[in-house]
């Protein structure tokens, strides 16, 4: 028999865990469905989460799951949601894990499955990602402070990122990887701040187990760098909610109102599954808690005239 839950939270990152904890404390029967693939799994340490600065991503999740599961009404399934479809009284969620199918029905679904990132095609980049090369400047800038750094990317926000990164290092080279991500005017402005722009394509990252040594350009020359940042492309991976017909934005992320409600009544989203996408752990956790409170109030009902006032 398919189990019924008040709320199914799909995605057990900080947004989903925080929402699940707050919902179960609101005496809701909550199913947390998670494939356990943290976006930050490439890194060993997470930074900037109040009271947990420097914790490993997996440990942060374990603590969050344990806190949630200590409550009556909390249930966790490690599986992948493959389809969410509207049914009488809510939504049916179909899941699959190692060939094993399961399903659940919930009155409300909260989507917190984050986003996927695509790195530029550069040999060895993945090997250094999360240790010597990062994507979140606010998260990892401090640990790269005062080092000779590279910023690699092809996106138009590269100049803005270079300016941000200059807060942590004044030895910075921007690698556009053959793209025109930095305009000549922006290059002149960056140059005025001591930031160089290298427009040749990057072939690979030079280094070994002891660390990163530099950036290898297509002609074989190596630019010495101790570490750096990359600008991935970010997009939603939300095909599984397509049967609901919920509106997605141009990046494939769920469109939500100020309270995390999607265009489909009863379907909510929080964290990086919604615009603007990339955030930080504590921001995603805060968003999950915020939307959990909205869900609880919506489930109580009769508060429609107060909906905006209470959040
Ligand atoms: C390399 C790296 C390092 C980072 N370092 C830091 C840092 O030091 N500090 C910091 O504050 N932030 C850091 N971040 C950012 C941080 O990881 C994100 O802001 C945060 O994880 C977003 O939380 P979320 O809950 O929205 O999504 P996620 O953490 O991505 O969680 C989504 C969850 O949903 C699950 N999922 C996905 N699809 C499905 C599905 N179909 N069915 C079931 N489950 C599914 C995934 O397995 C995952 O567990 C880093 C990011 C990266 C990439």
């Amino acid at each position: 028999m398919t189990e019924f839950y008040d709320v199914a939270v799909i995605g057990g990152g900080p947004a989903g865990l925080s929402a699940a904890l707050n919902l179960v404390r609101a005496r809701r029967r909550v199913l947390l469905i998670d494939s356990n693939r943290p976006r930050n799994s490439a890194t060993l340490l997470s930074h900037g989460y109040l009271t947990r600065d420097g914790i490993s991503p997996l440990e942060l999740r374990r603590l969050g799951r344990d806190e949630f599961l200590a409550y009556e009404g909390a249930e966790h399934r490690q599986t992948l949601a493959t389809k969410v479809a509207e049914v009488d009284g809510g939504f049916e969620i179909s899941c699959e894990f190692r060939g094993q199918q399961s399903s659940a029905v919930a009155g409300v679904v909260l989507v917190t499955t984050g986003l996927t990132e695509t790195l530029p095609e550069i040999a060895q980049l993945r090997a250094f990602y999360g240790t010597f090369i990062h994507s979140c400047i606010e998260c990892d800038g401090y640990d790269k402070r005062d080092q000779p750094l590279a910023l690699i990317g092809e996106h138009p926000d590269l100049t803005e990122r270079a300016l941000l990164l200059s807060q942590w290092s004044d030895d910075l080279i921007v690698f556009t990887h053959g793209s025109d991500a930095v305009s000549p005017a922006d290059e002149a402005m960056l140059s005025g701040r001591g930031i160089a722009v290298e427009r040749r394509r990057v072939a690979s990252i030079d280094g070994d187990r002891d660390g990163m040594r530099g950036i290898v350009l297509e002609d074989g020359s190596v630019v010495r760098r101790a570490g750096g940042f990359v600008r991935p492309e970010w997009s939603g991976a939300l095909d599984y909610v397509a049967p609901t017909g919920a509106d997605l934005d141009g990046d494939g992320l769920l469109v939500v109102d100020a309270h995390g409600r999607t265009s489909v009544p009863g379907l909510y989203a929080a964290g990086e599954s919604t615009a603007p996408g990339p955030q930080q752990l504590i921001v995603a956790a805060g968003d999950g808690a915020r939307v959990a409170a909205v869900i609880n109030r919506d489930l109580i009902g009769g508060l429609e005239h107060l909906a905006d006032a209470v959040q």
Side-chain angles (χ1 to χ4, degrees), residues 6-8 84 86 89-91 106-111 244 260-269 295 298-299:
D6 297 322
V7 185
V84 176
E86 285 190 89
F91 299 86
V108 163
V109 167
L110 171 61
V111 174
T244 65
R261 301 183 186 103
T262 71
S263 57
V264 176
L267 184 71
Y268 298 75
I295 291 172
D298 285 355
L299 281 173

Side-chain angles (χ1 to χ4, degrees), residues 10-16 33-40 42-43 45-47 61 79-81 112-115 117 129-130 135-136 139-140 240 270-273 279-282 284:
I10 310 179
I33 295 170
D34 183 41
S35 58
N36 201 25
R37 297 244 174 269
R39 187 160 95 74
N40 55 344
T43 193
L45 305 174
S46 309
H47 291 287
R61 280 166 168 252
T79 184
L80 188 77
T112 50
T113 46
L115 44 71
E117 51 188 20
Y129 188 53
S135 55
C136 174
C139 305
D140 297 297
Y240 71 93
E272 295 184 344
S273 299
Q279 300 168 343
Q280 287 179 271
L281 295 161
I282 202 157

Side-chain angles (χ1 to χ4, degrees), residues 2 13 40 52 112 130 158 170 188 211-212 241 244-245 250 266 280 284 293 298 301:
T2 304
N40 55 344
R52 293 290 181 273
T112 50
L158 209 57
D170 58 9
M212 177 178 154
V241 293
T244 65
Q280 287 179 271
D298 285 355

Side-chain angles (χ1 to χ4, degrees), residues 6-7 15 18-20 22-24 26 28 107-110 256-262 264-270 285-304 306-311:
D6 297 322
V7 185
S18 169
N22 281 280
L23 284 162
V24 82
R28 301 294 175 188
V108 163
V109 167
L110 171 61
V256 289
D257 70 7
H259 306 292
R261 301 183 186 103
T262 71
V264 176
L267 184 71
Y268 298 75
D287 200 33
R290 189 177 64 83
V291 176
V294 174
I295 291 172
N296 186 46
R297 287 179 189 278
D298 285 355
L299 281 173
I300 292 169
L303 295 171
E304 288 75 12
L306 292 175
D308 286 332
V310 293
Q311 284 300 316

Side-chain angles (χ1 to χ4, degrees), residues 28-109:
R28 301 294 175 188
R29 188 165 185 230
V30 180
L31 174 64
L32 176 66
I33 295 170
D34 183 41
S35 58
N36 201 25
R37 297 244 174 269
R39 187 160 95 74
N40 55 344
S41 57
T43 193
L44 298 175
L45 305 174
S46 309
H47 291 287
Y49 196 104
L50 192 65
T51 79
R52 293 290 181 273
D53 188 32
I55 195 170
S56 90
L58 290 176
E59 177 66 357
L60 184 66
R61 280 166 168 252
R62 190 191 61 73
L63 290 170
R65 266 198 310 266
D66 287 354
E67 282 179 354
F68 164 65
L69 287 171
Y71 286 89
E72 192 186 336
E75 204 176 311
H76 167 247
R77 259 187 232 174
Q78 181 168 345
T79 184
L80 188 77
T82 52
K83 184 177 169 192
V84 176
E86 285 190 89
V87 292
D88 252 5
F91 299 86
E92 180 170 38
I93 305 112
S94 310
C95 304
E96 204 254 296
F97 182 61
R98 294 186 182 152
Q100 193 119 22
Q101 320 280 331
S102 67
S103 67
V105 173
V108 163
V109 167

